[in-house]
Amino acid sequence: MARLICLAVGYLCGLFQTAYIYGKSKGIDIRQKGSGNAGTTNTLRTFGLKAGITVLFGDILKCIIACLIARFIIAPKMGPDINYLLVLYAAAGAILGHNFPFYMHFKGGKGIAATAGLIICFHWSFFIMGVIVFFGTFFTTHYVSLGSLLVYAGFMIQIIIEGQMGVFGMSQTALNEMYILAGVLAVMAYYKHRENIGRLLRGQERKTYLKKKEGK
């Protein structure tokens, strides 16, 4: 029951579609612009840096709120063994709410900014990994999609390694459940980025710059 509650709480938080709301405040449906994705990157390309940062923090925050509710309100009643697991369920709900909002005909974003909220809340070592992998990749290649996908790969590797090292203080049964849930989120992220992956392989993926290049 606690798992379902965390999932539901996360989904409700994820329904706050920052990019869509920001676009509507400007009289524009962000899903009709650029890539058609209601997320940070498309907002950045459509409205500029300030809008992109606003949407980024909004999407991160909604996942953080879901994770904090799970960790400090729901998990303490269930015992320490599944604390991290319930946080992951809440984050999964937020990512699902972001990606598949029912009131937008299930057409939302790709869940990367919401995932950043999970990484920030989950464990300090994951935050360090996320920052190094994403920004290292982005500032080297300027591919947001590649950085996002590599972060998910790093998340999967790290959660298994640290889980087996006993960092989370969980039973093997709970750890296995957490690995499966993390794997589902990773598969969903790669599926949502399937077109980006195709363009990356063909060398056609669009690069993103925080500032416009000279002459453009």
Side-chain angles (χ1 to χ4, degrees):
M1 181 59 73
R3 292 166 174 78
L4 291 177
I5 293 174
C6 287
L7 200 62
V9 167
Y11 187 81
L12 290 174
C13 291
L15 291 178
F16 187 86
Q17 291 292 320
T18 319
Y20 179 74
I21 293 171
Y22 186 95
K24 281 298 185 180
S25 72
K26 304 295 183 180
I28 295 173
D29 186 341
I30 188 67
R31 298 172 300 170
Q32 304 300 321
K33 296 291 183 178
S35 66
N37 181 57
T40 299
T41 304
N42 197 30
T43 303
L44 174 66
R45 291 170 177 168
T46 302
F47 296 108
L49 181 59
K50 181 179 178 180
I53 292 175
T54 299
V55 169
L56 173 65
F57 278 98
D59 288 343
I60 290 175
L61 182 60
K62 65 188 180 187
C63 189
I64 289 177
I65 291 173
C67 291
L68 292 179
I69 291 173
R71 171 158 287 161
F72 294 109
I73 297 178
I74 302 173
K77 301 176 182 178
M78 305 303 299
D81 182 56
I82 60 172
N83 187 298
Y84 285 96
L85 178 60
L86 293 182
V87 169
L88 189 58
Y89 267 103
I95 294 169
L96 286 171
H98 177 78
N99 290 356
F100 308 105
F102 71 89
Y103 66 93
M104 291 169 59
H105 304 290
F106 302 99
K107 185 181 179 181
K110 296 181 180 179
I112 298 303
T115 299
L118 162 63
I119 290 174
I120 290 171
C121 285
F122 197 71
H123 190 273
W124 62 267
S125 60
F126 285 77
F127 175 72
I128 294 175
M129 177 280 297
V131 169
I132 292 175
V133 172
F134 180 80
F135 287 105
T137 302
F138 175 71
F139 286 119
T140 300
T141 68
H142 293 284
Y143 290 133
V144 173
S145 57
L146 180 59
S148 302
L149 293 170
L150 289 179
V151 167
Y152 253 109
F155 181 79
M156 278 302 307
I157 294 170
Q158 189 169 355
I159 200 172
I160 293 173
I161 292 176
E162 294 197 7
Q164 295 308 120
M165 289 173 59
V167 171
F168 309 125
M170 298 167 61
S171 67
Q172 190 60 50
T173 299
L175 283 172
N176 291 339
E177 184 179 352
M178 187 166 69
Y179 300 157
I180 292 172
L181 181 56
V184 169
L185 292 178
V187 169
M188 182 170 65
Y190 275 73
Y191 176 76
K192 294 286 283 186
H193 283 80
R194 62 193 182 280
E195 294 180 0
N196 302 85
I197 293 172
R199 289 194 295 269
L200 283 168
L201 293 174
R202 296 190 299 270
Q204 298 174 346
E205 178 71 325
R206 181 177 176 181
K207 295 186 177 184
T208 299
Y209 298 88
L210 298 181
K211 293 183 178 180
K212 290 185 177 180
K213 297 178 70 176
E214 291 185 9
K216 293 188 176 182

